[in-house]
Amino acid sequence: MTTFQLLGIQFGVSESTANDTFNYWFALLRELLPSSLLEQVKKNAADHAIVKEILTEYELIVDTYEQVRERPGTRDEQEKYFSGKKSNHTFKTQIIIMPDGRDIVDVVAGEPGPKSDITLFREYRSEFEPQLIFKGDKAYVGENLITTPIKKPRKRELTTEQKEQNKAFPAHRIFVEHRIRSVKIFRLAQERFRLKPQKY
């Protein structure tokens, strides 16, 4: 079992929050893992720089999903979280995974549902190495760091080669849909979130 599988990598948080998260999980893992593996986990999880460098060897896959939340109490909050796509108030979660879909690399949760996928990605992009390349769907068209399907030009048609590329593209990013499905196995991540928003 790899360190990725044990803890995942949390880059979308502050250094202090990351340390708190690691210390929390490390206490739980102490009861489950042999001491030799614990030292490996502790060493690797503490050194984010090494992990970030390793990730540059891959083209990570990014996607988001929305989850319905309780109706906010104030008008400003209602407007902030109302998603026209879902016709409801929602949280948006961004998930970044390894190319083969085996490990979740990063999660950003609890963002307002109406926030666009590309805006959410750009807000947290700085947490990764500048040379890192990603793969995403058409919601990310216009972001140079993300490989996306080829968009049809206005008043023009795609070439046969471009159509073939777009047809093959989903097979390379379907793994992120599988990971989102595996997260939604848990009812807390799928059904209406009824707890206080701060607990999301």
Side-chain angles (χ1 to χ4, degrees), residues 153-179:
R154 289 187 62 183
K155 300 181 180 180
R156 287 165 49 194
E157 295 294 329
L158 295 176
T159 65
T160 302
E161 182 180 357
Q162 290 173 329
K163 289 180 180 178
E164 289 298 320
Q165 290 178 11
N166 280 354
K167 192 174 181 180
F169 190 85
H172 298 294
R173 63 168 299 277
I174 191 64
F175 302 108
V176 72
E177 305 291 350
H178 294 165
R179 289 287 65 78

Side-chain angles (χ1 to χ4, degrees), residues 23-165:
N23 291 332
Y24 170 80
W25 282 106
F26 191 73
L28 299 180
L29 292 171
R30 185 179 289 115
E31 301 176 5
L32 303 174
L33 302 176
S35 57
S36 58
L37 188 53
L38 274 174
E39 286 303 313
Q40 179 185 345
V41 171
K42 185 175 182 180
K43 178 181 178 181
N44 290 341
D47 194 349
H48 290 173
I50 295 176
V51 178
K52 287 183 179 182
E53 186 175 346
I54 292 174
L55 290 177
T56 59
E57 301 175 9
Y58 302 93
E59 186 176 37
L60 305 181
I61 308 174
V62 58
D63 203 3
T64 65
Y65 72 90
E66 292 183 54
Q67 180 181 355
V68 176
R69 56 161 292 178
E70 288 289 90
R71 181 187 177 94
T74 66
R75 183 177 182 84
D76 288 344
E77 287 293 289
Q78 289 173 13
E79 293 179 353
K80 180 180 179 181
Y81 284 91
F82 186 80
S83 169
K85 180 179 179 181
K86 297 292 184 180
S87 298
N88 219 321
H89 301 93
T90 63
F91 287 123
K92 175 167 282 189
T93 297
Q94 173 181 275
I95 291 183
I96 297 178
I97 68 167
M98 296 294 284
D100 58 4
R102 189 176 307 171
D103 298 320
I104 295 176
V105 175
D106 185 63
V107 176
V108 176
E111 294 290 325
K115 183 178 291 187
S116 69
D117 293 2
I118 193 169
T119 298
L120 180 56
F121 171 81
R122 285 170 174 169
E123 287 181 357
Y124 290 91
R125 173 64 183 84
S126 61
E127 302 296 334
F128 293 90
E129 292 296 308
Q131 66 269 33
L132 190 59
I133 301 298
F134 300 81
K135 191 183 295 290
D137 58 19
K138 288 185 178 180
Y140 298 96
V141 171
E143 173 53 58
N144 296 331
L145 298 170
I146 301 181
T147 304
T148 62
I150 303 171
K151 187 177 181 180
K152 179 179 173 295
R154 289 187 62 183
K155 300 181 180 180
R156 287 165 49 194
E157 295 294 329
L158 295 176
T159 65
T160 302
E161 182 180 357
Q162 290 173 329
K163 289 180 180 178
E164 289 298 320
Q165 290 178 11

